[in-house]
């Protein structure tokens, strides 16, 4: 079984709709992250959480919100989806060790029409 | 501002050697990562450097010069399965990863 899972894997929605992307991990890591990836651009951090009670905005948090329901679960919501939020979304986790290597989920391809 | 620069695309021949360069400017520095990403898939960890010098791991090696803000990833004995994007990322003073846009490596027979 995969250590970091994301649901759904693909989603097509319409402008103005609220949607939620979910991430679960079995690695036992405290730190979790949400990124988006657009063609020709690097991964951009949306939100991150270093533990259940710690939520921080990343580089591009506008239009997004998150919920850390448990150590293993971190959800990303788009309150009112718009077409420029069409992207590939990745969840990642990391341990609190020195190296901070991040482990990625398989990604969610979101299309907003 | 914080910035990572790497070439957009490179082409190499199966069996050959290729070097992918990365330069970085970050507020503070706590290490440099290389990840591999096949099309439509998640990035996977390749290497981490925090001290100057070369780290070798099988066919892949990664080099870091902190004074120059420079790193490279060296891939030897290229195989067709090495066709992928290679992402350079620097860990800043807040332990946040700053990502480059990635280098798409095309391997030709």
């Amino acid at each position: 079984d995969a250590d970091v899972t994301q649901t759904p894997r693909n989603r097509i929605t319409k402008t103005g709709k609220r949607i939620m992307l979910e991430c679960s991990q079995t690695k036992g890591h405290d730190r979790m992250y949400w990124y988006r990836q657009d063609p020709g651009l690097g991964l951009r951090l949306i939100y991150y959480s270093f533990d259940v009670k710690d939520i921080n905005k990343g580089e591009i948090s506008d239009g997004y919100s998150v919920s850390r329901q448990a150590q293993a679960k971190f959800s990303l919501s788009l309150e009112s989806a718009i077409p420029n939020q069409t992207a590939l979304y990745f969840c990642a986790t990391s341990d609190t060790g020195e190296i901070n290597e991040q482990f990625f989920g398989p990604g969610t391809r979101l299309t907003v029409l | 501002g914080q910035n990572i620069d790497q070439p957009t695309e490179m082409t190499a021949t199966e069996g050959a050697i290729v070097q992918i360069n990365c330069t970085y400017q970050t507020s503070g520095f706590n290490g440099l990562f290389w990840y591999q990403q096949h099309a439509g898939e998640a990035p996977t960890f390749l290497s981490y450097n925090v001290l100057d010098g070369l780290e070798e791991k099988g066919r892949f090696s990664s080099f870091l010069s902190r004074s120059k803000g420079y790193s490279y990833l060296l891939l030897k004995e290229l195989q067709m399965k090495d066709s992928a994007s290679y992402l350079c990322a620097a860990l800043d003073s807040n332990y946040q990863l700053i990502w480059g846009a990635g280098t798409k490596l095309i391997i030709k027979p």
Side-chain angles (χ1 to χ4, degrees):
Chain A
D1 289 339
D3 295 320
V4 185
T5 57
Q6 292 183 234
T7 56
R9 294 294 312 279
N10 288 282
R11 178 75 183 269
I12 299 174
T13 191
K14 294 182 178 180
T15 297
K17 294 291 187 182
R18 182 182 188 277
I19 66 162
M20 179 182 288
L21 309 183
E22 299 189 353
C23 176
S24 295
Q25 53 113 348
T26 59
K27 300 189 74 67
H29 289 167
D30 284 328
R31 299 179 177 181
M32 298 187 74
Y33 311 81
W34 274 105
Y35 291 96
R36 67 176 279 175
Q37 188 175 42
D38 299 275
L41 299 177
L43 287 161
R44 291 185 291 168
L45 185 63
I46 306 171
Y47 271 95
Y48 63 101
S49 169
F50 280 1
D51 65 41
V52 174
K53 297 180 180 179
D54 177 75
I55 304 287
N56 302 281
K57 291 182 178 181
E59 177 188 356
I60 53 163
S61 59
D62 288 349
Y64 302 94
S65 62
V66 291
S67 173
R68 185 81 184 265
Q69 300 96 323
Q71 186 205 37
K73 297 184 182 297
F74 193 35
S75 301
L76 176 72
S77 294
L78 285 68
E79 299 302 324
S80 179
I82 56 177
N84 78 0
Q85 291 177 313
T86 293
L88 184 57
Y89 289 84
F90 286 106
C91 172
T93 74
S94 70
D95 204 347
T96 54
E98 180 181 341
I99 293 182
N100 197 44
E101 173 191 347
Q102 294 188 11
F103 297 85
F104 287 80
T108 295
R109 188 166 295 281
L110 176 66
T111 302
V112 183
L113 302 176
Chain B
Q2 307 200 96
N3 193 52
I4 307 284
D5 283 320
Q6 53 182 130
T8 303
E9 186 174 297
M10 299 181 70
T11 302
T13 304
E14 190 177 16
I17 299 173
V18 70
Q19 177 175 312
I20 303 174
N21 296 323
C22 169
T23 57
Y24 63 89
Q25 289 180 301
T26 55
S27 55
F29 178 76
N30 285 298
L32 193 290
F33 290 81
W34 285 96
Y35 280 76
Q36 181 190 59
Q37 186 179 24
H38 286 99
E41 298 183 7
T44 54
F45 171 79
L46 287 178
S47 68
Y48 170 76
N49 295 67
V50 66
L51 300 176
D52 285 357
L54 187 69
E55 294 278 346
E56 297 185 78
K57 191 186 295 184
R59 294 189 298 115
F60 293 8
S61 302
S62 56
F63 172 83
L64 177 67
S65 168
R66 294 177 66 130
S67 63
K68 296 181 179 178
Y70 167 71
S71 174
Y72 68 72
L73 180 69
L74 191 72
L75 292 75
K76 303 176 184 176
E77 301 170 13
L78 286 170
Q79 302 175 9
M80 297 304 293
K81 68 178 181 179
D82 297 330
S83 293
S85 288
Y86 292 85
L87 312 180
C88 174
L91 200 60
D92 72 8
S93 57
N94 294 319
Y95 288 89
Q96 293 305 310
L97 276 176
I98 310 302
W99 295 84
T103 299
K104 183 178 181 180
L105 178 62
I106 300 168
I107 309 296
K108 295 186 175 180

